[in-house]
């Protein structure tokens, strides 16, 4: 290759010389082979500049220092295997191979792996991410939920093959055995962050009462390690999943001195996985002892309270009067009321009978007949006067209108006069209608009074089989009055029958009826 470039630089090579002509592709291929042969696998340290993740999943970024810029690219599969994603401003050590891109006449680094340049850079990036997530409110204490006192089901997100899960199960068994669901995940490397985030979201997606019970508490646990080993728990996806969890979450990542971003987003941080199990459940024996102690206190308090209230009741009962003395006055009043009840009822019946007699006297048939006759006379008198009064009133109003019309003859007044006459005619018709209505009302009232008179009169009683006895023109109600009368008259439903009085020849006694004698009705006397 050096000979090739030396031939191109020979003094004979000039315009019109015999120098070899290369195509662009040949030159690009020669440069590509030269660079890849000299720099097959290299590690480059620099600061990440422009960083772009394409829709295809490939990552394009720049590595730069104070003197130069190197283009770098990681393909989709390489990006998925990265434990740390490059971010702008981060100082990293990239491992890969140097090659060229003929389409733009540039060389670039194909990055297989990337690591932070040191703990300082990692901590700077971690602090920057922590500040951004805290500004969103993901670490706000108001978002944190209270742990259940005694969860029925505990979900554990950890590696199923490590010592962490054995420590948690052993501690739970010693304190208070509970149902445990394990969601196996990778706890370091490029798969750690997405698997932990999916595990937290998966536990929250379980339906209460389903085939797989939904946990009441989640523990995310991992043993200790370096900052690079624990880096998966600093990823943004894990922090957001922990903050969005509706189930209370305990973070137990690393040992007591290790701190990750999931510790800030979790509801409670445990210094170790064993401590997380202690925070999850109480000690069963201590709880049983406390319950027994509280039960004893409750029994003693109830016994003491009942004794005090019994003594208080006995003290109060001594001050109460005897039951007989409380009812003596009431029994005496009841006896007095019982003794006067019969006399009071008799007096009330007499008073009501007197009131009934007075009311019956006011409703005497003769008085009702007189009132009806007087009302009928007044109605007939007023009915006879009403047409004459209406005619007189009409004539007077007509004469008055004629005189007014004679004085006021203009055409407008003639129209007014005609309108007035029509109004007068309508008024007369309304007056006649009102008179007829008044007459009808009075007639209906008179008919109602007549029906009342008939209903309370003695004629209705005669129809039911009774008779009225009169002596010397007066109603006789006793046998003595009938014997003293000179002439008697009996009124039946269909007429009156005169009978002999005192001194008259009594009628012959009726003959006794025998068998075959007709059933004849004899005289009453």
């Amino acid at each position: 290759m050096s000979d090739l470039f030396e031939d191109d630089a020979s003094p004979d090579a000039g315009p019109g010389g015999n120098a070899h002509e290369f195509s662009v592709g040949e030159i690009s291929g020669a440069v590509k082979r030269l660079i890849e042969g000299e720099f097959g696998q290299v590690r480059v340290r620099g600061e990440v500049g422009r960083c772009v993740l394409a829709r295809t999943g490939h990552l394009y970024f720049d590595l730069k220092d104070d003197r130069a810029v190197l283009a770098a690219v990681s393909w989709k599969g390489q990006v998925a295997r990265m434990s740390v994603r490059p971010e702008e401003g981060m100082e990293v050590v990239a491992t890969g191979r140097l090659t060229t891109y003929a389409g733009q006449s540039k060389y670039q680094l194909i990055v297989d792996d990337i690591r932070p340049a040191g703990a300082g850079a990692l901590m700077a990036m971690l602090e920057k991410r922590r500040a951004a997530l805290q500004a969103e409110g993901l670490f706000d204490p108001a978002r944190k939920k209270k742990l259940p006192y005694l969860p029925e089901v505990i979900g554990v997100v950890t590696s199923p093959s490590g010592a962490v899960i054995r420590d948690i199960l052993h501690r739970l068994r010693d304190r208070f055995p509970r149902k445990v669901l394990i969601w196996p995940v990778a706890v370091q490397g490029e798969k750690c962050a997405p698997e932990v985030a999916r595990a937290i979201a998966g536990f929250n997606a379980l339906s209460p009462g389903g085939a797989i019970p939904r946990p009441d508490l989640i523990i995310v646990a991992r043993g200790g390690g370096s900052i690079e080993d624990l880096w998966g728990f600093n990823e943004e996806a894990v922090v957001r999943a922990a903050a969005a969890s509706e189930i209370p979450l305990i973070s137990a990542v690393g040992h007591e001195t290790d701190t990750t971003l999931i510790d800030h987003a979790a509801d409670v941080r445990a210094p170790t996985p064993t401590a997380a199990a202690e925070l999850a459940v109480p000690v069963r024996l201590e709880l049983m002892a406390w319950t027994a102690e509280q039960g004893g206190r409750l029994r003693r308090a109830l016994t003491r309270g009942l004794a005090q209230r019994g003594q208080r009741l006995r003290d109060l009962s001594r001050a109460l009067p005897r039951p007989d003395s409380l009812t003596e006055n009431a029994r005496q009043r009841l006896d007095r009321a019982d003794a006067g009840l019969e006399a009071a009822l008799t007096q009330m019946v007499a008073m009501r009978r007197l009131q009934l007699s007075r009311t019956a006297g006011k409703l005497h048939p003769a008085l009702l007949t007189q009132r009806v006759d007087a009302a009928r006379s007044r109605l007939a008198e007023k009915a006879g006067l009403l047409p004459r009064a209406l005619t007189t009133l009409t004539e007077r109003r007509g004469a008055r209108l004629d005189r007014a019309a004679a004085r006021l003859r203009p055409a407008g007044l003639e129209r007014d006069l005609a309108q007035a006459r029509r109004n007068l005619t309508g008024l007369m018709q309304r007056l006649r209608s009102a008179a007829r209505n008044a007459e009808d009302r009075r007639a209906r009232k008179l008919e109602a009074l007549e029906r009342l008179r008939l209903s309370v009169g003695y004629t209705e009683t005669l129809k039911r089989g009774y008779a009225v006895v009169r002596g010397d023109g007066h109603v006789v109600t006793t046998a003595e009055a009938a014997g003293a009368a000179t002439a008697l008259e009996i009124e039946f439903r269909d007429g009156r029958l005169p009978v002999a009085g005192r001194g008259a020849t009594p009628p012959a006694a009726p003959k006794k009826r025998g068998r075959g004698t007709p059933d004849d009705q004899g005289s009453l006397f």
Side-chain angles (χ1 to χ4, degrees):
M1 184 63 67
S2 60
D3 296 339
L4 174 63
F5 289 110
E6 289 175 359
D7 292 341
D8 294 341
S10 62
D12 296 336
N18 295 325
H20 180 71
E21 297 178 352
F22 295 97
S23 64
V24 176
E26 290 175 343
I27 293 295
S28 298
V31 172
K32 181 179 181 67
R33 289 191 295 273
L34 177 62
I35 292 178
E36 290 181 351
E38 293 292 333
F39 304 97
Q41 188 76 13
V42 296
R43 298 177 73 235
V44 181
R45 177 168 182 163
E47 181 182 348
V48 178
R50 176 189 59 87
C51 187
V52 178
L53 181 63
R55 287 183 295 179
T56 57
H58 308 321
L59 182 65
Y60 299 93
F61 58 97
D62 294 334
L63 295 175
K64 60 182 180 178
D65 57 12
D66 56 347
R67 292 181 298 174
V69 177
L70 175 62
V73 60
S74 292
W75 308 124
K76 181 178 180 180
Q78 297 168 335
V79 173
R81 292 191 298 270
M82 286 183 179
S83 60
V84 178
R85 292 283 183 88
E87 297 181 4
E88 188 172 354
M90 183 192 305
E91 188 174 2
V92 297
V93 176
T95 302
R97 55 187 178 85
L98 201 64
T99 184
T100 63
Y101 178 50
Q104 294 183 354
S105 298
K106 71 175 184 178
Y107 62 92
Q108 59 186 7
L109 180 67
I110 306 298
V111 179
D112 297 324
D113 187 23
I114 193 167
R115 298 285 179 180
L122 277 178
M123 295 305 296
M125 183 180 65
L126 182 64
E127 180 61 25
K128 179 180 177 182
R129 183 176 297 170
R130 187 194 67 78
L133 295 175
Q134 185 176 10
E136 295 184 24
L138 298 183
F139 304 155
D140 189 358
R143 296 171 56 96
K144 298 184 183 300
K145 297 172 286 295
K146 186 177 180 181
L147 300 183
Y149 180 72
L150 187 60
E152 289 290 335
V153 181
I154 300 175
V156 180
V157 180
T158 188
S159 173
S161 58
V164 171
I165 186 61
R166 291 194 296 272
D167 293 342
I168 292 176
L169 294 177
H170 177 72
R171 197 59 175 164
L172 290 175
R173 192 181 307 112
D174 289 344
R175 290 175 66 87
F176 207 122
R178 297 281 86 186
K179 295 180 180 178
V180 178
L181 292 178
I182 302 175
W183 194 301
V185 296
V187 293
Q188 71 180 57
E190 65 275 5
K191 295 182 180 180
C192 174
E195 289 186 1
V196 171
R198 284 196 297 268
I200 297 173
F203 275 137
N204 281 271
L206 294 176
S207 301
I212 300 178
R214 189 173 190 259
D216 302 314
L217 180 67
I218 297 176
I219 299 176
V220 180
R222 188 206 186 280
S226 64
I227 187 173
E228 290 83 2
D229 295 336
L230 303 179
W231 192 258
F233 298 93
N234 292 320
E235 292 293 340
E236 183 176 349
V238 175
V239 176
R240 293 189 180 278
S245 175
E246 297 179 358
I247 303 174
L249 187 142
I250 298 177
S251 171
V253 178
H255 294 302
E256 188 170 357
T257 57
D258 298 325
T259 302
T260 55
L261 293 184
I262 192 176
D263 295 335
H264 301 288
D267 297 302
V268 174
R269 177 187 180 270
T272 60
T274 304
E278 295 176 355
L279 292 172
V281 294
V283 179
R284 183 177 183 180
L285 296 178
E286 293 178 357
L287 185 60
M288 293 174 64
W290 180 83
T291 304
E293 180 184 357
Q294 297 301 317
R297 292 180 60 188
L298 180 61
R299 286 191 296 272
R300 291 192 297 272
L302 287 175
T303 303
R304 185 170 58 254
L306 289 174
Q308 292 176 354
R309 283 167 173 78
Q311 183 62 39
R312 178 63 175 167
L313 183 62
R314 287 189 293 272
D315 295 341
L316 291 175
S317 64
R318 295 191 189 99
L320 293 176
R322 293 180 297 104
D324 294 339
S325 62
L326 293 175
T327 58
E328 285 176 356
N329 295 332
R331 286 203 303 269
Q332 187 175 0
R333 289 195 300 270
L334 180 61
D335 293 339
R336 292 179 60 187
D338 182 47
L341 182 60
E342 185 176 357
L345 288 175
T346 305
Q347 184 179 0
M348 185 181 69
V349 170
M351 292 174 59
R352 295 297 175 89
R353 184 174 293 151
L354 180 59
Q355 292 177 358
L356 182 60
S357 300
R358 292 175 180 174
T359 305
K362 293 179 181 179
L363 297 177
H364 196 274
L367 295 177
L368 288 176
T369 303
Q370 292 176 4
R371 291 180 61 185
V372 171
D373 294 340
R376 184 176 289 139
S377 299
R378 290 195 300 272
L379 181 60
E381 182 181 355
K382 290 182 179 180
L385 295 176
L386 184 60
R388 188 163 55 255
L390 289 175
T391 303
T392 303
L393 179 61
T394 303
E395 290 176 354
R396 289 179 182 175
R397 295 293 176 88
R400 191 183 305 170
L401 287 175
D402 292 337
R403 288 194 298 270
R407 290 194 301 269
L408 303 171
R409 283 300 181 182
L413 292 178
E414 289 290 343
R415 289 194 299 271
D416 294 342
L417 181 60
Q419 183 63 33
R421 285 175 178 168
R422 287 194 295 272
N423 293 341
L424 180 59
T425 302
L427 177 61
M428 291 175 62
Q429 292 176 355
R430 289 196 295 273
L431 286 174
R432 291 193 183 96
S433 177
R436 286 194 298 270
N437 293 337
E439 186 178 356
D440 293 340
R441 287 196 299 273
R442 290 181 182 274
R444 287 194 296 270
K445 185 176 181 182
L446 186 60
E447 291 175 359
L449 290 174
E450 180 64 20
R451 288 195 298 271
L452 178 61
R453 183 187 68 82
L454 293 176
S455 63
V456 300
Y458 70 96
T459 56
E460 295 296 324
T461 306
L462 295 178
K463 293 179 181 179
R464 294 197 295 271
Y466 293 90
V468 178
V469 180
R470 291 184 176 86
D472 299 333
H474 301 287
V475 177
V476 176
T477 59
T478 62
E480 183 181 357
T486 58
L488 296 177
E489 184 184 47
I490 302 176
E491 182 179 358
F492 296 98
R493 176 177 62 85
D494 55 349
R496 298 187 180 186
L497 177 66
V499 296
R502 187 179 60 178
T505 302
K511 297 180 180 180
K512 294 184 179 181
R513 289 182 300 172
R515 291 184 179 178
T517 304
D519 187 10
D520 296 332
Q521 175 68 38
S523 173
L524 293 176
F525 297 95

